[in-house]
Amino acid sequence: MTRSDDEVEADAAMDRYAEGDDAAFAVVHRALAERLRAFLVRMAKSPSVADDLLQETFLRVHRARGSFVKGGRVVPWGYAIARNVYIDHTRTLTHKREKLAPGEDDPAADIATGPEANSEEASIASDLARVVERTLAALPRNQREAFVLLRYEGMSVADAADVLGATEGAVKLRAFHAYEALRAALGMENQKRRKSA
Amino acid sequence: MSASSSSEERDLAAMFDDIPDPVKQAHVPRERHPHPPAQPSPTRADYRIRRTLAIGLSVAWAVAVLILLGARNAIAPSIVLFHIAIPSAFGVVALGLALSRGRLGLGPSIRNAVLFSLVPPAIFLVIGLAFQAPMGPDDQRDIVQCGAVEALAGLVSLGIAAIGLSRSQVTNGRWRGALLGSAIGLLWAGLWGIHCADSSRAHVVLAHGLPVLVFAGAGGVILSRVSRAS
């Protein structure tokens, strides 16, 4: 994966932050916040939970800053920490999994609601997004995270493997299983739609 | 990355494009000047000092044990190679890999960590089984006692490593811990080759080789817990 100028700047800022320069935190925060929040929303499926987890992630980034290796890449490092935060969250909350309430906390409701989308397209897109979201949530964590990193976070297989602590083959296989489950779910949704039309 | 794997990756990405994204855009309220959390946290210099101290203490401990227990009288060149140089070289390579930054700064890949946690100890055990070194009549030692002393001495090194590496890695902790445990075990096996005069197959495999596997397991359990940074 080639690094953008922003990533190079963020890596340099993280290097400074690891050496004790607190002012560099703002650059690191800017580079990571949106990406990690998107990742956490996709994993936790709730924006409000993701916000809490994001805050916890930055707390851990701060605590672990000294362990950031000189010349390392801050984005995968941040994803690895966010993933740990999410895993800890699921471990403590397995008995009371939060249910998504429709409305502003529903990430699927955000999709295809631009002014140019007509109501039918918006409804179809929203339904499909809900199917994807439900199916993703039902997948085993290791399949979900592999798929999310490759499909939505735009990571290479090698980078995702390093973040997840898995082999490249395992990451591909997990993502492919997730893809098959999502394709099957979307196929069923389309069939249902055709029957009702 | 090879050309075939990158084209395979492009195919995979093209295939995954079929799946819509349920999250349109993650909006994070932009803070103009986000501040780091107020609590103090160790910087890279603190980690450097701790790691250097841990390496220094481990070396001092190994030298102290060797001086205290003494070296064997005569060491044949074949013993130097098979019972000292090979496990020590494996140990140095495994240690270097365990402490390496890796491609992205996240440490060694899991494939390398698994490979170097298991293969060098296995090779050392095979060498121990295959190679019968010349032995004098007074060189026989008790297997349990020798193995236990080696394991106890190595446990101190493992403890020092645990302190030196605490809260230092964010991913792949179990196998990285096993790799470090394996490295410590192999280095101690090499050191034990200098100290212990018993070069019989059974003794080398059970008293010098088995502790390496124990260290790899202990590293995977203990070091993975204490070294997790987040």
Side-chain angles (χ1 to χ4, degrees), chain B residues 86-100 108 112-113 115-121 175-187 212:
Chain B
I86 288 179
S88 301
F90 279 150
V92 169
V93 171
L95 186 66
L97 188 67
L99 300 178
S100 68
N112 285 341
L115 199 71
F116 282 86
S117 298
L118 301 178
V119 174
W175 280 107
R176 206 168 165 191
L179 179 62
L180 201 64
S182 177
I184 290 170
L186 285 161
L187 289 168
V212 181

Side-chain angles (χ1 to χ4, degrees), chain B residues 110-156:
Chain B
I110 189 138
R111 193 179 51 185
N112 285 341
V114 172
L115 199 71
F116 282 86
S117 298
L118 301 178
V119 174
I123 292 175
F124 180 57
L125 287 176
V126 169
I127 287 173
L129 278 175
F131 170 67
Q132 175 67 58
M135 258 175 71
D138 300 329
D139 289 344
Q140 207 166 357
R141 300 283 185 274
D142 183 67
I143 288 176
V144 176
Q145 193 187 349
C146 185
V149 174
E150 183 193 335
L152 280 175
L155 267 180
V156 174

Side-chain angles (χ1 to χ4, degrees), chain A residues 70-117:
Chain A
K70 194 168 180 60
R73 304 258 298 270
V74 70
V75 172
W77 189 75
Y79 275 118
I81 291 178
R83 175 178 175 257
N84 289 342
V85 169
Y86 172 71
I87 290 171
D88 290 348
H89 165 74
T90 54
R91 279 184 189 150
T92 53
L93 289 181
T94 40
H95 60 289
K96 48 169 189 173
R97 284 191 69 86
E98 293 198 359
K99 284 191 173 167
L100 256 184
E104 62 172 13
D105 269 359
D106 185 350
D110 286 348
I111 201 163
T113 51
E116 71 286 353

Side-chain angles (χ1 to χ4, degrees), chain B residues 8 11 39 44 48 52 65 77 85 100 108 140 150 191 193 195 197 200 208 214:
Chain B
E8 197 179 297
D11 293 345
Q39 60 177 252
R44 197 180 273 152
R48 241 185 330 250
T52 309
V65 168
S100 68
Q140 207 166 357
E150 183 193 335
L191 196 78
H195 158 69
S200 65
H208 302 184
V214 172

Side-chain angles (χ1 to χ4, degrees), chain A residues 28-120:
Chain A
V28 173
H29 190 274
R30 250 199 322 276
L32 292 180
E34 286 195 9
R35 304 172 87 141
L36 297 187
R37 185 175 183 271
F39 172 70
L40 290 166
V41 169
R42 288 175 181 119
M43 293 302 290
K45 86 170 196 173
S46 160
S48 59
V49 172
D51 285 337
D52 291 344
L53 297 183
L54 185 66
Q55 208 167 9
E56 174 64 20
T57 301
F58 277 109
L59 188 63
R60 293 196 194 182
V61 163
H62 175 67
R63 284 191 202 133
R65 64 173 166 169
S67 72
F68 182 76
V69 180
K70 194 168 180 60
R73 304 258 298 270
V74 70
V75 172
W77 189 75
Y79 275 118
I81 291 178
R83 175 178 175 257
N84 289 342
V85 169
Y86 172 71
I87 290 171
D88 290 348
H89 165 74
T90 54
R91 279 184 189 150
T92 53
L93 289 181
T94 40
H95 60 289
K96 48 169 189 173
R97 284 191 69 86
E98 293 198 359
K99 284 191 173 167
L100 256 184
E104 62 172 13
D105 269 359
D106 185 350
D110 286 348
I111 201 163
T113 51
E116 71 286 353
N118 67 39
S119 60
E120 195 187 359

Side-chain angles (χ1 to χ4, degrees), chain A residues 1 24 43 48 50 57 64 93 101 117 130 144 148 151 169 176 189:
Chain A
M1 194 157 80
M43 293 302 290
S48 59
T57 301
L93 289 181
R130 276 172 214 278
R144 185 163 73 246
V148 165
R151 165 66 180 93
F176 187 71
E189 176 67 19

Side-chain angles (χ1 to χ4, degrees), chain A residues 1-38:
Chain A
M1 194 157 80
T2 52
R3 290 192 294 170
S4 66
D5 288 348
D6 285 350
E7 282 178 323
V8 172
E9 187 194 354
D11 293 343
M14 187 63 219
D15 263 335
R16 294 197 304 277
Y17 187 45
E19 295 286 3
D21 175 9
D22 284 351
F25 178 78
V27 182
V28 173
H29 190 274
R30 250 199 322 276
L32 292 180
E34 286 195 9
R35 304 172 87 141
L36 297 187
R37 185 175 183 271

